[in-house]
Amino acid sequence: MNLLEVVCSRPVVGLNDKLLSVLNILGRKGTPYRVVVLGEDFRVKGVISGRRILEVLLGRRGEALKTRKGLRGVLEEPISLFLDEARNVFPENVTLQTVLQYMAENSLGYIIVVNENHVFKGVVDEAAILGKLLNKTFGIKVKDVMSYPALTINPEASLLEASNLMVDSRVRRLLVTRDDVLVGILTITDVLHHVLVREREMESELYDVETIFKAKVDEVMNTNIISIYLEKDVGEAIDKIIGNDISCLPVSVEGKLSGVVCRIDLVSGIVKIKGVPEVVRMMGLEAKNE
Amino acid sequence: MSSVCVRKISDYEPIVGRDEIKTIVSLAERVKGAKIIHVNSTAYGGGVAEILKSLIPLARSVGLDARWQVLQGSKEFFFTTKSIHNALQGDNSIELTSEMRDVYLKVNELNAKTLDLDGDVVMIHDPQPLPLIDYRRDGKWVWRCHIDTSQPNKHVWGFIKPFVEKYDALVFSREAYIPNDIRGIKVFVRFPSIDPLSDKNKPLHQTEILKILERFDVNPDKPIIGQVARFDPWKNPLGVIDTYRKVKEKISEVQLVLIGSFAHDDPEGLEWYKKTVRYAENLKDVYILTNMDGVCDVEVNGFQRAFTVALQLSIREGFGLTVSEALWKGVPVVATRVGGIPLQVIDGVTGFLINTVEEAAEKVVLLVKRGWLARELGRNGVEHVKRNFLVTKDLKDYLRLHIELVGK
């Protein structure tokens, strides 16, 4: 089977582009959580994620450079100083089965695909896979694949506290609860978006991150909550996630929050439970299987 | 300082390309002249020494003042640190007595007086030298943890954690290994990698390989399966022998080569070596070899290149870099699904991932009987390692870490 059937194009940046350009991409709502970094020859040089940018904004990355140049100076530095080496690079001639197995085995959200000359061809990520699994019933309940307990935060907490919690816990989102009732979701993308918007409003030359991070979580969180019941089929979760272009769903039982189901939970869970051949069949790509 | 062979970054250009070398040189400019001190507990044996043997000369060749210091300790000290190692990897039966804690701290205190710890960056590898942080004078200190600390023994972690929290940054081999109660410290995830030009991985002529096999009476005309790993319960040498027994029932001419080294920081090594030898006592065509038999890096290289199939049947792994070493030599690997192994062994592409001895034997038989399949998986393995696990990537990661901490 040709892997290219699920390879999708995603935003890319150049190795010598400024870090600021990544903030401008990842702070836009509806964009992926990470971008691939390419050299001038279009070969893959690495990956940079929203978390890395948030860490820089919080002063938890680029410490020495920040001391010398200030945050603005750090954001003017090339991406090459901050990227993560790409370690999930596959040639375009591997099969979809292989990639699905690898992503599920290692709980990876994406792999990068290159041609025989190591030139970038695209990305296979959870969204691309789930997008091929719409309107299906799997016979697997949400509770069988969800993550729990979900990390929560109070709406009155500061954005600084929430951001540090996400960085320390290595998560991309927090569920916002008041008296155990879910009132919103805060993602790293929401935080980066807030930084961008506030900077534009203030027309500030220097990034006044401290002021920006004083905002309360409920000023930034997304209150349009789309959740799912834990006894529901994972097919419904996929339809909701892809249909609304969101990365996760809070999972509830009798009105109480019991966990969260994310895109990678769905891909890993379905592959592990149904097996790769069955998932490929459900994706409607088995006819071309070699 | 331990002796290291001299390789230059430009030596790697034919393998990774000019562009990659240019990137490394440009990153290194930002930290040129920085004094980087690595401290670990053995100059030979195990993955950390392997990594440092390559990294230190490479870092020096791009203008860093990189140095390697080795912690000295008593038998009691290394017994204690091995217990700590096992506990951090999840052995909940271990308890540290007050004597063990005392020897651990005392040896570190004594080493602090003799080691050069005045670096711009001091990289402490694994738990053995961890308490040296209490003797920090200056510079940025980084703890590089090479083991799986995702589910540590709580009592031992409780003793270790206060030291960990004093570091400026922590580096783990996988995201899943980061203990979930670490807060407020910079945490990096960095995969280890192999050096394609080291004695252990450099290309060898067929005649050199034959000579090595001859020296140890291994028949080059019969299939060879083997595992390269310390003699250690986590590496499961007895499971390898069980697998061999089952393979031998189907393929009578198969041979087994088990290679391990006695690192001076591993007091369990000799005991487990003896246990392994006893376990294989009545089996034919089994070769259990160590550095004491003269099996050093070049010999390991030769044996790995002669393997029909490599095994890595570990119960727990930090990353399992010997898997990439075998793959780099075009040898398919049959391995367990632990640590970083599933990142290296792509099931059905570079080898096979298995759950039981029976499955391992079945896959080994498949590969021994079907040479074309073994060759295809072997070719895929070389490419996979080349794309993802070569030392030049590791060097870039280290340079970025240094830039983060002391860069210009």
Side-chain angles (χ1 to χ4, degrees):
Chain A
M1 175 181 305
N2 191 345
L3 183 67
L4 295 178
E5 291 186 54
V6 285
V7 169
C8 49
S9 58
R10 295 282 187 243
V12 294
V13 288
L15 188 65
N16 294 315
D17 289 355
K18 291 173 183 173
L19 198 57
L20 190 58
S21 63
V22 184
L23 174 60
N24 280 315
I25 293 172
L26 296 181
R28 285 203 304 263
K29 298 224 170 181
T31 52
Y33 175 66
R34 63 185 78 80
V35 290
V36 176
V37 183
L38 302 181
E40 284 172 7
D41 52 4
F42 295 101
R43 291 186 177 189
V44 176
K45 297 298 176 188
V47 177
I48 191 156
S49 67
R51 182 162 66 207
R52 193 68 65 246
I53 304 298
L54 184 58
E55 286 173 339
V56 170
L57 293 172
L58 290 170
R60 294 175 66 162
R61 286 291 168 105
E63 180 191 348
L65 299 173
K66 193 177 171 191
T67 307
R68 288 168 200 269
K69 303 178 179 182
L71 181 59
R72 179 79 202 192
V74 177
L75 291 169
E76 295 285 335
E77 290 283 1
I79 293 162
S80 61
L81 303 186
F82 296 93
L83 57 77
D84 288 314
E85 288 293 311
R87 302 284 193 161
N88 314 317
V89 182
F90 281 73
E92 59 188 330
N93 61 359
V94 298
T95 63
L96 175 61
Q97 285 98 323
T98 297
V99 167
L100 277 177
Q101 183 71 45
Y102 191 82
M103 287 172 71
E105 195 83 61
N106 294 292
S107 291
L108 288 173
Y110 72 101
I111 61 117
I112 296 167
V113 181
V114 296
N115 71 11
E116 72 272 22
N117 297 317
H118 298 270
V119 170
F120 178 67
K121 295 293 289 187
V123 168
V124 177
D125 59 19
E126 324 105 319
I129 292 164
L130 296 178
K132 298 265 182 199
L133 290 168
L134 293 172
N135 305 315
K136 303 225 172 347
T137 303
F138 292 81
I140 301 169
K141 290 179 177 171
V142 166
K143 68 178 180 186
D144 297 328
V145 301
M146 71 180 193
S147 304
Y148 60 93
L151 266 183
T152 60
I153 194 157
N154 189 299
E156 307 300 320
S158 72
L159 211 50
L160 182 67
E161 192 184 332
S163 300
N164 277 319
L165 182 58
M166 285 193 276
V167 167
D168 279 333
S169 311
R170 306 182 80 77
V171 297
R172 288 156 58 174
R173 65 193 67 78
L174 297 171
L175 301 187
V176 186
T177 56
R178 181 182 283 122
D179 301 328
D180 288 337
V181 176
L182 184 66
V183 294
I185 299 175
L186 180 76
T187 66
I188 285 183
T189 304
D190 293 332
V191 177
L192 298 183
H193 180 72
H194 175 75
V195 171
L196 274 182
V197 169
R198 287 302 306 274
E199 283 298 324
R200 280 173 197 150
E201 280 172 6
M202 294 192 301
E203 294 176 352
S204 168
E205 279 296 310
L206 289 169
Y207 277 68
D208 186 7
V209 169
E210 275 177 27
T211 307
I212 292 172
F213 276 90
K214 275 183 189 160
K216 286 184 179 166
V217 166
D218 64 1
E219 296 170 42
V220 181
M221 69 186 187
N222 190 340
T223 52
N224 179 22
I225 303 166
I226 302 165
S227 61
I228 194 159
Y229 182 57
L230 57 69
E231 295 288 341
K232 290 285 184 185
D233 191 90
V234 291
E236 195 171 317
I238 293 173
D239 295 346
K240 283 186 170 184
I241 281 180
I242 298 299
N244 294 287
D245 192 19
I246 51 180
S247 63
C248 78
L249 299 169
V251 181
S252 61
V253 57
E254 291 167 3
K256 281 190 79 177
L257 185 65
S258 60
V260 64
V261 64
C262 309
R263 293 192 288 217
I264 188 61
D265 297 328
L266 290 164
V267 172
S268 290
I270 291 169
V271 168
K272 282 177 184 164
I273 295 169
K274 303 291 278 188
V276 171
E278 177 63 8
V279 175
V280 172
R281 190 192 66 74
M282 294 183 82
M283 291 171 82
L285 299 171
E286 81 288 358
K288 292 168 191 166
N289 198 353
E290 286 152 14
Chain B
M1 186 175 145
S2 302
S3 67
V4 285
C5 56
V6 181
R7 277 192 292 281
K8 301 186 300 295
I9 193 66
S10 54
D11 298 338
Y12 294 78
E13 193 177 311
I15 300 169
V16 299
R18 182 174 295 179
D19 204 35
E20 186 81 341
I21 304 299
K22 264 172 62 183
T23 306
I24 290 170
V25 171
S26 131
L27 287 171
E29 277 296 320
R30 300 262 187 163
V31 278
K32 206 162 197 163
K35 185 175 171 187
I36 315 290
I37 297 172
H38 291 263
V39 185
N40 81 322
S41 61
T42 182
Y44 184 83
V48 180
E50 216 41 62
I51 291 164
L52 293 180
K53 263 196 281 183
S54 298
L55 262 184
I56 303 281
L58 277 181
R60 293 180 75 86
S61 89
V62 292
L64 275 71
D65 179 10
R67 302 172 187 211
W68 181 3
Q69 305 268 305
V70 177
L71 194 79
Q72 303 299 318
S74 59
K75 231 182 197 176
E76 294 74 25
F77 172 76
F78 289 120
F79 177 78
T80 300
T81 56
K82 190 68 200 256
S83 298
I84 292 173
H85 173 109
N86 290 342
L88 292 181
Q89 291 221 122
D91 186 340
N92 287 318
S93 68
I94 291 170
E95 279 183 36
L96 292 182
T97 62
S98 58
E99 290 78 17
M100 289 164 92
R101 291 170 192 229
D102 287 347
V103 78
Y104 180 55
L105 300 178
K106 189 74 195 166
V107 167
N108 272 284
E109 184 189 341
L110 291 172
N111 274 275
K113 289 176 186 159
T114 55
L115 296 175
D116 173 10
L117 300 174
D118 291 322
D120 296 306
V121 178
V122 180
M123 300 274 300
I124 300 292
H125 294 264
D126 278 343
Q128 297 92 335
L130 185 68
L132 286 176
I133 184 73
D134 280 350
Y135 307 95
R136 125 193 232 166
R137 287 178 282 270
D138 204 0
K140 299 288 182 184
W141 282 56
V142 181
W143 186 47
R144 173 65 173 100
C145 177
H146 295 267
I147 58 180
D148 176 354
T149 45
S150 53
Q151 292 171 310
N153 171 321
K154 281 187 184 144
H155 297 294
V156 175
W157 176 240
F159 171 61
I160 290 296
K161 191 181 162 198
F163 298 111
V164 174
E165 288 174 329
K166 292 176 187 170
Y167 281 78
D168 296 300
L170 311 175
V171 184
F172 294 89
S173 298
R174 293 201 73 184
E175 188 131 342
Y177 295 172
I178 304 167
N180 56 17
D181 55 352
I182 293 283
R183 292 282 179 270
I185 310 174
K186 287 187 186 70
V187 177
F188 298 79
V189 175
R190 298 287 180 251
F191 291 178
S193 54
I194 65 157
D195 182 349
L197 298 182
S198 69
D199 282 349
K200 218 175 186 184
N201 298 309
K202 67 186 182 186
L204 291 181
H205 290 296
Q206 290 298 327
T207 48
E208 291 175 274
I209 298 169
L210 284 173
K211 272 185 199 161
I212 291 167
L213 296 183
E214 256 172 36
R215 242 169 75 202
F216 295 94
D217 288 330
V218 177
N219 188 337
D221 299 322
K222 291 182 178 176
I224 306 168
I225 64 173
Q227 175 165 299
V228 178
R230 285 189 187 196
F231 293 101
D232 171 318
W234 303 108
K235 305 293 183 190
N236 195 17
L238 308 188
V240 172
I241 292 169
D242 290 338
T243 302
Y244 170 72
R245 273 185 226 273
K246 290 189 182 299
V247 174
K248 192 83 173 166
E249 288 168 12
K250 299 265 170 63
I251 304 170
S252 61
E253 71 268 32
V254 72
Q255 307 167 91
L256 173 67
V257 175
L258 272 170
I259 300 174
S261 59
F262 296 122
H264 83 273
D265 65 343
D266 182 11
E268 281 182 337
L270 184 60
E271 182 198 330
W272 267 86
Y273 167 77
K274 287 179 181 167
K275 199 180 268 191
T276 306
V277 169
R278 275 199 305 275
Y279 200 68
E281 221 161 37
N282 299 318
L283 289 173
K284 273 186 180 174
D285 304 324
V286 176
Y287 303 84
I288 301 174
L289 304 168
T290 73
N291 50 327
M292 307 306 275
D293 300 305
V295 178
C296 299
D297 287 351
V298 174
E299 288 77 12
V300 170
N301 187 346
F303 274 114
Q304 280 181 319
R305 286 178 191 280
F307 286 171
T308 317
V309 181
L311 295 166
Q312 194 66 48
L313 303 187
S314 308
I315 294 162
R316 271 285 175 104
E317 265 299 347
F319 192 76
L321 212 46
T322 50
V323 169
S324 276
E325 286 171 5
L327 293 176
W328 179 244
K329 286 146 194 150
V331 177
V333 179
V334 172
T336 41
R337 296 179 147 84
V338 297
I341 290 175
L343 289 165
Q344 302 166 79
V345 176
I346 309 170
D347 196 33
V349 176
T350 66
F352 291 108
L353 292 170
I354 54 88
N355 297 311
T356 63
V357 163
E358 287 72 23
E359 274 180 46
E362 182 196 318
K363 297 301 184 193
V364 170
V365 169
L366 176 74
L367 289 167
V368 172
K369 285 191 171 172
R370 290 174 176 76
W372 60 268
L373 179 62
R375 281 191 294 278
E376 185 184 321
L377 268 52
R379 274 195 299 274
N380 294 339
V382 175
E383 288 303 313
H384 186 57
V385 173
K386 189 173 177 181
R387 278 191 300 271
N388 298 296
F389 300 114
L390 289 187
V391 71
T392 42
K393 286 202 174 214
D394 213 8
L395 179 61
K396 285 191 288 176
D397 275 339
Y398 272 104
L399 289 171
R400 288 192 188 101
L401 174 63
H402 299 332
I403 293 168
E404 292 262 356
L405 297 170
V406 297
K408 294 169 203 147

